[in-house]
Amino acid sequence: MDANTDRETSRDETAVVVRRRRAPEHCGWCGRRLDHSGTVGRRRRYCGHSCRQRAYERRAAVQRSGLPEDAVVLSTSEIAMLQDRLFQVRCAAEDVATAAREGADAAELRDLADELARAAHELERLR
């Protein structure tokens, strides 16, 4: 047997693989997808220096204000935008459900599901 093909994996190696899969895949500030290819060491949390700085400034402001560290502060316009995006996702989900109840063909359901996925993706990019 070739040592490279049938090598047993130790528990420590498995734990490292599991831990790395759970690492964030998006910038902790702006939400852009992070590229982890070719990196050694700890995974990046931010896409660049400016995002890391903005995150630091926000953490410092939260600490000065006395709010809990996990507090999320949104402006009135940000709340309105969030509500609009949630409404879009709900409407898209209702469209899929209605079309399925009414016997829509697979192509129409696929299109509606794609629209739902797009709306959910936009909502996911909250930052």
Side-chain angles (χ1 to χ4, degrees):
M1 274 192 247
D2 185 0
N4 291 332
T5 57
D6 278 330
R7 195 185 105 196
E8 288 187 27
T9 304
S10 73
R11 231 181 274 171
D12 293 334
E13 290 172 323
T14 304
V16 169
V17 170
V18 171
R19 228 183 337 222
R20 288 193 176 217
R21 285 187 192 140
R22 292 182 187 155
E25 296 292 324
H26 296 88
C27 175
W29 178 255
C30 70
R32 278 189 224 143
R33 190 151 182 85
L34 296 176
D35 179 26
H36 291 298
S37 62
T39 59
V40 177
R42 192 170 26 166
R43 297 263 175 153
R44 292 172 42 193
R45 292 179 57 197
Y46 305 103
C47 62
H49 295 294
S50 62
C51 285
R52 185 174 61 207
Q53 180 65 28
R54 295 303 161 277
Y56 166 77
E57 290 169 358
R58 180 176 221 150
R59 283 192 309 273
V62 166
Q63 287 174 349
R64 284 191 307 268
S65 70
L67 293 171
E69 284 189 32
D70 61 348
V72 176
V73 179
L74 297 173
S75 68
T76 304
S77 62
E78 289 171 322
I79 290 172
M81 183 174 36
L82 176 59
Q83 288 172 328
D84 287 344
R85 288 180 175 181
L86 285 169
F87 179 74
Q88 290 172 356
V89 169
R90 182 177 62 84
C91 289
E94 288 174 354
D95 289 347
V96 171
T98 301
R101 262 193 314 277
E102 294 176 354
D105 65 352
E108 184 180 354
L109 286 173
R110 218 177 3 261
D111 290 342
L112 290 170
D114 287 343
E115 179 62 25
L116 175 59
R118 186 201 58 73
H121 179 74
E122 287 298 316
L123 178 61
E124 187 178 49
R125 293 179 26 180
L126 180 59
R127 296 176 199 83

